[in-house]
Amino acid sequence: MSLIRQNLQAITATIVAATQESQRPAGAVQLLAVSKTFGPEAVLEAVAAGQRAFGENYLQEGLDKIRAVQEAGAPALEWHFIGPIQSNKTRPIAENFAWVHTVEREKIAQRLSEQRPDGMPPLQICLQVNISGEASKSGAAPEEVAALAHKVAALPNLTLRGLMAIPEPAEAFAQQRAAFAQLRTIYEQLRADGLALDTLSMGMSADMRAAIFEGATMVRVGSAIFGARNYLKA
Ligand SMILES: *Cc1c(COP(=O)(O)O)cnc(C)c1O
């Protein structure tokens, strides 16, 4: 059995166990396989093991991979853009991805909506929130999120699905949970405010259990599936 298939099985088991332990309904947590820096052959191995949703951070790498995987005859896959977005690079994102997790400004959302091709379903959007409060990190400030969410929800070719965050790495489970709880609180406030959100994109290889305990509906897992990344090679 391939290592990627083994890893996917182990992660699926972890997700199922954490979902049960946190008394959430079966199937409440979806796995997004983050394939950045790994080639199309790694994606195809994951596809063979049943995985269909993939996340990419770097636009050109992602576009090349989407094309290569299609040309290799893969079934229809769901591609999520999860990297920083430059405003002059929104068009290929709007044309080639099903989801974008890293919207943090109204201008980017407007461009994605304008550039989403006719005939494609609306682009599914998560707003990235900077819950760690560090100036260097991306994401909208928590106090800006409500206004941004209402503007994005009104754009015609986008569907606002929820929120995403990448907290500061923390070792302790309780500390990991505390960061995710902040995102969950903002999410619950937006829902109480009438926005029909259903997605909390949070949790990666090192902290997915804590994220599931705090209500993650999508965990974004890379290295635990594909192995350690080699950025020099990428
Ligand atoms: C790389 C990345 C991941 C996956 O991280 P791992 O620690 O490898 O699981 C998840 N989300 C984002 C936004 C990433 O850039």
Side-chain angles (χ1 to χ4, degrees):
M1 185 161 64
S2 89
L3 186 57
I4 288 174
R5 180 184 290 268
Q6 265 176 42
N7 289 343
L8 277 168
Q9 286 182 357
I11 285 156
T12 302
T14 303
I15 292 173
V16 167
T19 305
Q20 275 173 357
E21 258 184 274
S22 55
Q23 297 175 345
R24 298 184 52 208
V29 183
Q30 202 194 325
L31 173 61
L32 181 66
V34 177
S35 42
K36 66 177 179 222
T37 79
F38 293 94
E41 60 295 334
V43 171
L44 291 167
E45 265 189 66
V47 169
Q51 181 66 28
R52 293 293 179 270
F54 292 89
E56 287 289 333
N57 287 61
Y58 310 107
L59 182 58
Q60 194 54 52
E61 180 196 334
L63 296 175
D64 292 345
K65 209 174 298 176
I66 291 170
R67 189 170 315 113
V69 165
Q70 261 167 7
E71 282 168 5
L77 302 178
E78 188 178 88
W79 291 95
H80 295 230
F81 191 77
I82 63 170
I85 305 171
Q86 291 170 265
S87 57
N88 61 341
K89 298 277 177 61
T90 48
R91 185 178 296 280
I93 296 175
E95 291 176 347
N96 290 280
F97 288 83
W99 283 69
V100 180
H101 292 229
T102 41
V103 171
E104 56 178 29
R105 288 189 284 143
E106 186 187 1
K107 181 183 160 204
I108 297 285
Q110 274 168 349
R111 292 176 67 96
L112 290 170
S113 181
E114 281 161 16
Q115 293 166 345
R116 183 66 166 173
D118 291 339
M120 286 182 89
L123 193 55
Q124 308 298 300
I125 301 292
C126 289
L127 303 180
Q128 184 174 356
V129 183
N130 181 351
I131 49 173
S132 70
E134 273 204 7
S136 61
K137 272 266 187 90
S138 18
E143 61 273 16
E144 296 167 356
V145 174
L148 179 62
H150 285 282
K151 285 175 185 154
V152 171
L155 291 170
N157 298 321
L158 308 182
T159 300
L160 180 63
R161 297 293 296 270
L163 303 180
M164 177 271 213
I166 312 170
E168 289 286 282
E171 289 281 318
F173 189 69
Q175 212 181 333
Q176 294 176 353
R177 279 189 68 161
F180 293 129
Q182 289 179 49
L183 191 68
R184 183 205 188 126
T185 299
I186 301 169
Y187 172 79
E188 297 296 356
Q189 283 165 355
L190 296 178
R191 279 163 51 107
D193 205 23
L195 290 168
L197 307 183
D198 62 4
T199 302
L200 259 179
S201 166
M202 58 187 197
M204 319 202 302
S205 295
D207 55 14
M208 58 188 267
R209 276 191 78 250
I212 292 170
F213 272 77
E214 291 300 336
T217 66
M218 203 180 293
V219 289
R220 308 178 311 270
V221 180
S223 47
I225 298 173
F226 296 107
R229 285 182 288 275
N230 181 349
Y231 283 101
L232 291 176
K233 207 182 104 208

